[in-house]
């Protein structure tokens, strides 16, 4: 009888200790609300690239191309959604080792603000090949915002 009580007490205490030791972590497959939405980048000749980010999916559509989607359970690592943030920059497919296999910007991205005319717009700034370019939230602006990266 004493052995049963000892086993029960030890099992309960191990269970309580185990529950308190496990740290809570944010999911790498859930996008923060601050970067969700539809963003547009002008490509010339009245055509735009559309970057769409929802809670558990991201996609990018270039003019004349098929939609490139990132989802959490994709079999191919180039199509697997994995959010990672570091020093104000983020990437949406952090587990992909070959950046050229994804249509998303090869460098990181950053959430920023840009003044266009008299209004400020939220933008996602992508970095690739020494250049930076802006995806403007919710507005198709017929001007190409690209600059040599700082």
């Amino acid at each position: 009888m004493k052995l049963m009580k000892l086993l029960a007490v030890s099992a309960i205490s191990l269970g309580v200790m185990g529950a308190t030791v496990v740290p809570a972590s944010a999911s790498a497959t859930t996008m923060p609300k601050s970067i969700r939405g539809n963003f547009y980048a002008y490509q010339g000749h009245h055509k735009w690239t559309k970057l769409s980010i929802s809670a558990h999916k991201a996609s990018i559509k270039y003019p004349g191309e098929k939609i490139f989607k990132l989802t959490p359970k994709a079999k191919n690592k180039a199509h697997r959604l994995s959010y990672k943030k570091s020093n104000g920059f983020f990437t949406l497919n952090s587990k992909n080792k070959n950046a050229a296999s994804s249509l998303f910007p090869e460098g990181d991205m950053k959430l920023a603000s840009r003044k266009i005319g008299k209004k400020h717009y939220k933008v996602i700034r992508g970095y690739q090949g020494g250049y930076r370019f802006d995806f403007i939230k919710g507005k198709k602006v017929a001007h190409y915002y690209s600059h040599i990266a700082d």
Side-chain angles (χ1 to χ4, degrees), residues 29 82 136:
T29 60
S82 178
I136 301 163

Side-chain angles (χ1 to χ4, degrees), residues 23-50:
S25 63
S27 173
T29 60
T30 301
M31 300 300 104
K33 288 183 180 180
S34 61
I35 65 168
R36 294 182 198 172
N38 293 322
F39 298 82
Y40 300 93
Y42 188 62
Q43 298 298 311
H45 304 289
H46 299 288
K47 295 180 182 178
W48 289 265
T49 296
K50 180 181 179 182

Side-chain angles (χ1 to χ4, degrees), residues 8-138:
V9 169
S10 64
I12 291 171
S13 63
L14 285 174
V16 170
M17 286 180 7
T20 58
V21 172
V22 177
S25 63
S27 173
T29 60
T30 301
M31 300 300 104
K33 288 183 180 180
S34 61
I35 65 168
R36 294 182 198 172
N38 293 322
F39 298 82
Y40 300 93
Y42 188 62
Q43 298 298 311
H45 304 289
H46 299 288
K47 295 180 182 178
W48 289 265
T49 296
K50 180 181 179 182
L51 172 65
S52 182
I53 301 172
S54 65
H56 300 287
K57 182 174 65 170
S59 63
I60 192 163
K61 168 82 169 82
Y62 289 96
E65 299 286 329
K66 290 183 178 180
I67 295 175
F68 186 85
K69 295 179 187 176
L70 296 177
T71 57
K73 296 182 180 180
K75 292 180 182 178
N76 186 342
K77 282 190 179 183
H79 293 269
R80 193 167 303 148
L81 181 65
S82 178
Y83 175 79
K84 184 178 179 182
K85 185 176 181 181
S86 174
N87 296 329
F89 293 91
F90 65 90
T91 183
L92 298 177
N93 51 353
S94 63
K95 298 195 184 225
N96 186 14
K97 301 296 183 209
N98 183 7
S101 63
S102 174
L103 292 179
F104 283 85
E106 288 182 14
D108 291 336
M109 294 184 273
K110 183 177 187 176
L111 189 62
S113 178
R114 171 170 220 121
K115 186 174 180 180
I116 301 172
K118 294 181 180 182
K119 293 181 83 176
H120 287 275
Y121 292 96
K122 189 185 288 188
V123 299
I124 290 183
R125 188 162 288 153
Y127 295 89
Q128 183 167 333
Y131 287 92
R132 67 176 194 194
F133 47 93
D134 291 342
F135 291 94
I136 301 163
K137 184 169 186 177

